[in-house]
Amino acid sequence: MSYQIIYDSKDKHIANKQKRRRHAGVTVCILGILILGILRISGWGDALWQYMIPGDPAITTEAFQNLSDSLQNGQSLSDAVFVFCDTVIQGAKLG
């Protein structure tokens, strides 16, 4: 026969909150995947993606390709992101 002794009731509430937080993260991930799937199937995903790309989409997609190539070649993340941002800003004629 097993039993459990709880000396302080506050410990029980902390354990329940930690379980809820863990389940909340899983729930958010599942909802995010479902939303992305629905957007992809409905065709709204392309319009949303074009809206989210800053500046000229052609320049930004090329800069993103350069960013991924730089990271694959071993360049540091901060340098690659700096070059990406600089390329997008120069392409947008903001700076």
Side-chain angles (χ1 to χ4, degrees):
M1 184 168 165
S2 65
Y3 61 91
Q4 182 179 11
I5 298 174
I6 299 176
Y7 292 103
D8 190 11
S9 63
K10 292 179 184 178
D11 293 339
K12 185 177 180 181
H13 296 294
I14 292 172
N16 286 339
K17 286 181 183 179
Q18 289 174 349
K19 286 182 182 179
R20 288 182 193 155
R21 288 182 187 159
R22 186 174 6 157
H23 293 299
V26 171
T27 304
V28 168
C29 288
I30 291 172
L31 286 176
I33 290 170
L34 285 174
I35 289 171
L36 289 175
I38 290 170
L39 287 174
R40 179 73 176 165
I41 291 170
S42 68
W44 283 63
D46 293 333
L48 182 64
W49 183 250
Q50 291 299 323
Y51 179 74
M52 290 176 56
I53 295 176
D56 184 13
I59 292 173
T60 304
T61 52
E62 182 181 341
F64 185 74
Q65 181 64 40
N66 291 339
L67 172 88
S68 61
D69 291 341
S70 296
L71 291 174
Q72 287 177 352
N73 291 332
Q75 190 175 9
S76 70
L77 179 64
S78 61
D79 291 341
V81 169
F82 176 78
V83 171
F84 170 78
C85 293
D86 189 47
T87 305
V88 170
I89 290 171
Q90 293 298 326
K93 308 268 192 276
L94 296 175

